[in-house]
Amino acid sequence: MDRDLRLGLVGIAGYANEIGHLLQSPNLGDDANTLSTIFVPDPERHPQRIAELKRQGVRCVDSYAALLASGIDAVWLPVPIHLHRPMTEQALAAGVAVICEKPVAGTIDEWHAMKSAQDRAGLPVFVGFQHVYESATHRLKQRVLDARGRGPIRASLVGARPRGSDYFGRNDWAGHIQRGEHYVLDSPLNNAMAHAVNLAVFLMGPRPNAAAEPSRVEAELYRVNAIENYDTVSLRAGFTDGSELVVTLTHACPEPLGPRLRLRAEGLDVLWDETEAQARCTTPDGGIEWIARDERPREAMVRRLLRRLRDGSRRTDEGVATLETARPHTVLVNGVSQAATIHNVPDEFVQTQATRHPHTLRHIAGISAALSEAERGGRTLHELGTLPWTQPAGGLNLAGYRRFAGPAVAVPG
């Protein structure tokens, strides 16, 4: 690109505000002047921030159409899940490249629509799965690729993020299966811990910038909160190369854990924890390699994305999350919902604690110990055989999966 990159941003609050500040961070050096225009849906609520942006030479507009017509090269979309497809399609039709927040879409059907729009436009669409942009991820990926010739990968992922009534009441789609006519499938698998799930699937992929292809899934879905979708998931995913991933994630917990990912093969043992600054990797000779992660992963993501947008002549997307690398995550999320019924955990196994008034946190008694046990044994919650409230998994063949047929059963809100 023979001129300065001009980037547009949708939104001025929440995560959008964080992205806006990152794009202006002095840590980016020459890249810090890329933010050109922001679409502010509710300007009356942000007069001070708007005034600050204008002093910095950033234009604020009052519609998405105006943003796309403002001469920007790419637009960043930190917007709700149900807006990913329509806003991506509008941008591509206007000749604007896209950085879409994770997850890429609510359903695989929407993914295909976005991919078709990208093919027509011939423009890049990147996805905000931030761990894919870390240099440590690609060092780990090479270790996993080196081990693939010695047999299939066995992986486990556990994670706990306590989320109470304030979290699920913060907007009109949190914890929902649908928002209007659009599927959002909001859950720990598709939102709060989606970064870690996508990382697992990416690291297990057969090539440097390819994710693993799910071929089947067995899933257990549970709920303790007054929401439409599940707040706890335990699943076993098989992939086309014979590798396997066991995942257990919950919001119904009293304290956080990880998310923590472990990948094993002959001569390989990788331990990655989202809260740790280093990943541990054993070597075939029995040694231990510590791989330092980026100190500021979101800043690393922004820097790599801006570099990739400027270098439009590159023929490889190594080091970035694309529609293609994000697709298996969406297949897995859709497959889980289609395969398994959501079960309410009986009240006798649920504890409630007060948080910030008037909100509460509901959590499953003993869930922290169960997560640790599931991690050690590579088993789902029901496979542990110690939790009386669990149910057998529902299963689904994901080979050639192209259409989300809806959740296993209609779940009352």
Side-chain angles (χ1 to χ4, degrees):
M1 187 170 291
D2 57 4
R3 56 173 172 75
D4 287 342
L5 177 67
R6 295 174 299 197
L7 196 64
L9 176 65
V10 175
I12 199 171
Y15 185 55
N17 187 46
E18 182 176 343
I19 293 297
H21 282 290
L22 280 172
L23 290 168
Q24 296 177 296
S25 169
N27 293 331
L28 293 181
D30 293 340
D31 288 330
N33 63 355
T34 57
L35 185 57
S36 168
T37 312
I38 294 183
F39 162 36
V40 185
D42 49 356
E44 68 283 352
R45 297 180 59 185
H46 310 282
Q48 292 184 335
R49 177 61 175 150
I50 291 173
E52 177 187 9
L53 288 165
K54 288 181 176 178
R55 287 194 299 270
Q56 295 165 344
V58 178
R59 182 184 175 196
C60 295
V61 297
D62 61 2
S63 72
Y64 188 47
L67 176 65
L68 296 179
S70 66
I72 57 174
D73 302 295
V75 61
W76 200 306
L77 301 176
V79 298
I81 299 169
H82 59 279
L83 297 178
H84 290 187
R85 172 190 172 179
M87 296 187 85
T88 294
E89 289 178 321
Q90 285 176 262
L92 293 171
V96 175
V98 175
I99 304 168
C100 181
E101 186 45 47
K102 60 81 188 164
V104 63
T107 67
I108 193 61
D109 313 62
E110 292 189 324
W111 183 92
H112 282 291
M114 294 166 73
K115 185 64 171 66
S116 294
Q118 181 189 27
D119 291 343
R120 289 192 299 270
L123 292 167
V125 177
F126 303 117
V127 185
F129 277 120
Q130 66 188 42
H131 297 318
V132 175
Y133 298 86
E134 291 190 51
S135 56
T137 294
H138 298 278
R139 290 180 63 186
L140 288 172
K141 180 67 177 274
Q142 189 56 55
R143 305 299 182 273
V144 177
L145 288 173
D146 292 343
R148 288 178 64 87
R150 300 191 292 270
I153 308 297
R154 294 289 178 263
S156 65
L157 173 67
V158 295
R161 291 273 180 85
R163 294 292 186 266
S165 57
D166 54 342
Y167 176 83
F168 293 111
R170 75 191 192 282
N171 57 42
D172 61 0
W173 55 271
H176 282 253
I177 292 174
Q178 290 182 257
R179 199 273 191 180
E181 297 180 354
H182 299 274
Y183 285 108
V184 292
L185 302 179
D186 185 59
S187 67
L189 191 69
N190 203 32
N191 193 351
M193 288 176 273
H195 287 294
V197 179
N198 181 75
L199 176 67
V201 177
F202 176 78
L203 287 175
M204 296 174 73
R207 297 180 302 281
N209 206 54
E213 294 288 343
S215 59
R216 60 180 173 82
V217 69
E218 300 164 2
E220 307 164 30
L221 304 179
Y222 306 105
R223 177 177 55 199
V224 304
N225 288 282
I227 57 175
E228 186 181 24
N229 210 12
Y230 56 90
D231 51 41
T232 301
V233 55
S234 197
L235 68 92
R236 181 182 303 277
F239 298 91
T240 53
D241 66 348
S243 295
E244 190 174 84
L245 169 66
V246 179
V247 178
T248 300
L249 307 173
T250 186
H251 288 322
C253 49
E255 62 267 330
L257 169 67
R260 192 160 60 213
L261 171 65
R262 193 156 198 172
L263 301 101
R264 292 186 177 96
E266 185 180 342
L268 175 77
D269 189 347
V270 170
L271 179 62
W272 176 97
D273 190 312
E274 191 170 84
T275 65
E276 299 294 333
Q278 299 181 94
R280 189 191 73 193
C281 182
T282 61
T283 56
D285 60 4
I288 296 178
E289 178 183 15
W290 293 97
I291 299 178
R293 298 180 55 211
D294 288 303
E295 186 177 345
R296 301 182 183 90
R298 286 181 177 170
E299 190 175 286
M301 173 179 68
V302 170
R303 183 177 286 108
R304 193 179 288 267
L305 279 168
L306 296 180
R307 188 183 308 132
R308 178 62 183 85
L309 284 166
R310 282 198 172 90
D311 190 6
S313 63
R314 285 186 60 178
R315 293 172 181 252
T316 176
D317 283 322
E318 185 172 346
V320 295
T322 64
L323 285 180
E324 287 80 3
T325 60
R327 182 182 59 80
H329 172 263
T330 297
V331 169
L332 197 57
V333 169
N334 285 189
V336 162
S337 285
Q338 193 173 326
T341 300
I342 301 172
H343 297 278
N344 291 315
V345 178
D347 285 343
E348 63 188 286
F349 301 107
V350 178
Q351 298 174 345
T352 302
Q353 66 186 65
T355 54
R356 183 173 53 87
H357 183 77
H359 299 292
T360 58
L361 172 69
R362 288 171 59 80
H363 57 86
I364 303 169
I367 189 65
S368 298
L371 284 173
S372 297
E373 188 179 352
E375 180 184 27
R376 285 192 299 270
R379 290 174 289 175
T380 67
L381 292 177
H382 186 67
E383 289 171 346
L384 294 177
T386 58
L387 303 170
W389 48 267
T390 61
Q391 301 290 330
L396 188 69
N397 183 349
L398 296 177
Y401 190 83
R402 292 184 59 87
R403 178 179 176 272
F404 179 52
V409 294
V411 180

